Amino acid sequence: PAEEKAQLLQNSEYQERMVESTFLYLTLDLPTAPLYKDEKEQLIIPQVPLFSILAKFNGSTEKEYKTYKENFLKRFQLTRLPPYLIFCIKRFTKNNFFVEKNPTIVNFPITNVDLREYLSEEVQAAHSHTTYDLIANIVHDGKPSEGSYRIHVLHHGTGKWYELQDLQVTDILPQMITLSEAYIQIWKRREEDETNQQQGA
């Protein structure tokens, strides 16, 4: 309850601490996949919007972490937006016996992902460019222990997408990329000249 929480926050052990740390990539947590089947007895593959799992970084969403000694809550907020962003979608969880894979499909746009709302108001003023376009998408297919990887890459010169698997390279339509079990994504920040080109197109 809010009242009890407010009282606990007065105690020293419940005081909030703010820590600024650098990151190489942002880990996006998937919701737990349901275990039930539909009326046709077929497994349901759940879907989640990219912006739902990005909410972890909005500065207000709390995530609980447990260790063998204590439990604590964390909130995350971005303080800088680099030219390139790497998202790691957390598909694999390891327990004492085996590794499990979450098959949830992440629905995401290929272009125009605006991250302005994940910055504090003070930081927003310093960032004129907050929009990103996808340039690479790594997919994991199959079981955790014996699966395979594919990568979707944007050819910047032509604007065409290609799928690479081992030595095989094929064309792929952008809308097909969003149907895959994305695992790692690389996003490029759109600069002023690119924004003008997009608006003029």
Side-chain angles (χ1 to χ4, degrees), residues 138-139 141 147-153 162-170:
I138 300 173
V139 178
D141 296 312
S148 60
Y149 292 92
R150 292 178 287 137
I151 182 169
H152 304 128
V153 179
Y162 294 92
E163 181 176 278
L164 289 72
Q165 187 168 23
D166 297 328
L167 298 177
Q168 187 174 0
V169 180
T170 54

Side-chain angles (χ1 to χ4, degrees), residues 116-127:
R116 180 170 295 277
E117 66 179 276
Y118 304 102
L119 300 169
S120 65
E121 289 184 12
E122 314 88 73
V123 177
Q124 284 182 17
H127 280 75

Side-chain angles (χ1 to χ4, degrees), residues 27 49 78 80 86 90 97 134 144 149 159 171 185 197-198:
T27 303
L78 304 179
R80 288 176 58 193
I86 301 173
K90 194 174 178 183
F97 304 103
L134 186 70
Y149 292 92
D171 296 4
Q185 296 183 326
Q197 287 175 10
Q198 291 282 340

